[in-house]
Amino acid sequence: MSTENEGTAVPPAPSAPPVPVDAPAASAPQAASAAGASTTPAPPHASGGAQGPELVHAGPAPAYASAQGQQHGAPGGPEGAWPPPQPPGTPSYADGGAGGAGGVGGPGGAGPTGVWGAGYQQPAPKPKNGRGGLVAAILVAALVAGGLGGGLGYTLAKNNDDGSSTTLSASDSGGSVKRDAGTVAGVAQRALPSTVTIEAESTNGEGGTGTGFVFDKQGHIVTNNHVVADAVDGGKLTATFPNGKKYDAEVVGHAQGYDVAVIKLKNAPSDLRPLTLGNSDQVAVGDSTIAIGAPFGLSNTVTTGIISAKNRPVASSDGSGSNASYMSALQTDASINPGNSGGPLLDAQGNVIGINSAIQSTSGGGLGGTSQSGSIGLGFAIPINQAKYVAQQLIKTGKPVYAKIGASVSLEDSTGGAKITTEGAGGSAPVESGGPAAKAGLKPGDVITKLDDHVIDSGPTLIGEIWTHKPGDKVKITYERDGQTHTVDLTLGSRTGDS
């Protein structure tokens, strides 16, 4: 699956919520400002088509963008192969912000269209008297209803009061309002205070809204790279907690390839409560999920669902043709929309099992369309085991570390595997001299079909699987050469940085 964060055409942000019927109409300038802008790039997500992200199955019909002859360097391939160029037609994260960071990117491609970013730019504020008028109207209606009810009640009581009636009084309490820890309400009650709504703005004023969560007591917040990308080079970054407290923040490190970033609060409070991290390797299809984020700018929104699939290959790009992100995602049907990017995906106990990053959208909206689509029940999250490792590296050194095999693979549509190209990117060798692939005996033209027990149906799938590992991990590679199947052990190498 592939997604794009911005794409060639930036979709406008959704218009502002409708103004109450009894509120005065907004002025022309206000109406125009509500037309919106879009957010920024997001990384790894589904395979794609030209009009939007598309879900990629590891089966016979992957939805990766067809590279038609273009080749990408597999993670850690020859220097000239990094970062791998974006496959032609790869959709972007279609964020909801003003061309800036902050969109849940999603799968896209040849099938169902449009996976895109979940970052969202806040719509223009509504006239102050709009809501006031509505509140006043509701209050008047409530008073009228209360007076009418009281009058009727008194009349009926008077007419029926013959001295023989029995009065039954209602109980003073509707029962205990205590929420058990295992309920959705209980999980939300504990997790919400540790989530933040992130606003990123570039030096030219573009940006969007995303989500993040408290990683440690020192003030580090984990989110998506595409949420904060606008603020990386001198932009403005803020994080707002559900209690309304707002803090300036700075980017500690960001990994475009993983679509993970870490920011740090300035003057962080002393009472921060980091969310508990779960074990994404132990997640099973059918497990309950809870997502927290700011869909379409609506901060602190909680939605629920289940894990609907695991190890879903998702690729994404910023639309420039040079920056690509890949992940082997957790798929969930919890409602995820633009603005949910970077927010936590929790299990039923409230443990973080993933970072919400991408969605699949229909062909009617998303990238290049006239409007943004919302959730259709296909959301994708970066597994927390991978994100935790990346975040720790970013906090420690400020730079991401990627596992690699040291070979360039084709990203053209394929169900047969990941083919090692005959030429490397930029004229470099397709198999890095002295690299892991070379030491394992792999050669140009070999087609990798499995990594350990995971079926590899294309180049993006291989990259996503490699990046679920750490440098130094030993993996088993199954490949085909001249019609024969071979298996070899390979120790993954490492590469530091996105460039």
Side-chain angles (χ1 to χ4, degrees):
M1 319 173 53
S2 43
T3 43
E4 301 178 57
N5 40 16
E6 290 291 336
T8 52
V10 177
S15 59
V19 177
V21 177
D22 60 344
S27 64
Q30 291 170 320
S33 65
S38 38
T39 57
T40 61
H45 310 310
S47 57
Q51 289 302 317
E54 165 157 48
L55 187 65
V56 177
H57 291 270
Y64 290 107
S66 175
Q68 298 303 336
Q70 283 204 349
Q71 302 157 349
H72 287 219
E79 291 298 321
W82 186 259
Q86 164 198 2
T90 301
S92 342
Y93 305 121
D95 318 315
V104 161
T113 87
V115 185
W116 34 282
Y120 178 65
Q121 172 124 18
Q122 293 279 8
K126 294 182 290 184
K128 287 187 176 180
N129 61 346
R131 183 174 180 180
L134 178 61
V135 172
I138 294 175
L139 180 58
V140 171
L143 290 174
V144 170
L148 178 62
L152 289 175
Y154 173 76
T155 301
L156 292 174
K158 181 177 180 180
N159 293 341
N160 294 326
D161 188 9
D162 57 2
S164 60
S165 63
T166 301
T167 301
L168 298 177
S169 60
S171 62
D172 294 334
S173 171
S176 172
V177 293
K178 181 180 179 181
R179 275 90 182 178
D180 293 334
T183 63
V184 174
V187 170
Q189 198 171 56
R190 297 194 312 276
L192 275 169
S194 297
T195 61
V196 297
T197 298
I198 297 173
E199 293 181 17
E201 185 178 310
S202 65
T203 52
N204 63 7
E206 294 184 342
T209 300
T211 308
F213 61 91
V214 177
F215 187 68
D216 59 30
K217 292 181 177 294
Q218 286 68 52
H220 290 108
I221 304 292
V222 171
T223 185
N224 282 144
N225 172 73
H226 72 264
V227 168
V228 303
D230 274 344
V232 168
D233 297 318
K236 182 181 179 181
L237 196 63
T238 61
T240 304
F241 285 85
N243 61 8
K245 292 184 178 180
K246 189 173 186 176
Y247 298 86
D248 289 331
E250 60 185 354
V251 178
V252 171
H254 59 106
Q256 194 276 329
Y258 289 122
D259 195 19
V260 174
V262 176
I263 66 175
K264 188 174 184 180
L265 305 178
K266 296 180 180 179
N267 302 314
S270 59
D271 59 349
L272 289 175
R273 292 188 299 170
L275 290 181
T276 302
L277 305 184
N279 185 344
S280 51
D281 290 342
Q282 295 180 350
V283 170
V285 172
D287 282 350
S288 297
T289 58
I290 300 169
I292 300 179
F296 295 106
L298 301 174
S299 300
N300 316 316
T301 295
V302 177
T303 56
T304 63
I306 62 169
I307 291 292
S308 45
K310 295 179 60 178
N311 304 315
R312 185 70 76 193
V314 178
S316 61
S317 168
D318 63 0
S320 69
S322 61
N323 296 319
S325 304
Y326 304 89
M327 66 174 167
S328 182
L330 295 176
Q331 180 180 316
T332 180
D333 65 351
S335 182
I336 297 174
N337 288 286
N340 275 103
S341 278
L345 182 68
L346 309 169
D347 62 17
Q349 289 71 48
N351 303 310
V352 181
I353 55 175
I355 300 177
N356 300 317
S357 300
I359 61 174
Q360 169 96 34
S361 67
T362 61
S363 58
L367 218 55
T370 57
S371 63
Q372 283 190 325
S373 295
S375 171
I376 59 171
L378 294 172
F380 305 93
I382 303 167
I384 195 60
N385 288 9
Q386 177 182 8
K388 176 184 177 181
Y389 165 73
V390 177
Q392 291 172 335
Q393 289 294 321
L394 293 176
I395 292 173
K396 183 178 180 180
T397 67
K399 295 182 179 181
V401 177
Y402 297 91
K404 70 172 186 178
I405 63 170
S408 293
V409 295
S410 172
L411 294 187
E412 62 185 23
D413 280 346
S414 169
T415 58
K419 183 177 181 179
I420 298 179
T421 59
T422 55
E423 293 183 7
S428 61
V431 177
E432 179 184 350
S433 178
K439 291 180 179 178
L442 295 174
K443 299 179 179 180
D446 289 346
V447 179
I448 298 174
T449 57
K450 291 180 71 175
L451 190 152
D452 289 333
D453 294 327
H454 296 285
V455 173
I456 302 300
D457 60 7
S458 66
T461 301
L462 174 63
I463 296 173
E465 285 298 331
I466 290 173
W467 284 355
T468 63
H469 293 78
K470 301 179 181 65
D473 283 355
K474 292 184 178 181
V475 297
K476 188 177 296 294
I477 298 290
T478 301
Y479 66 96
E480 295 180 355
R481 178 189 297 170
D482 299 329
Q484 300 295 316
T485 299
H486 306 272
T487 301
V488 64
D489 292 328
L490 181 151
T491 300
L492 296 173
S494 67
R495 183 185 183 99
T496 301
D498 282 314
S499 58

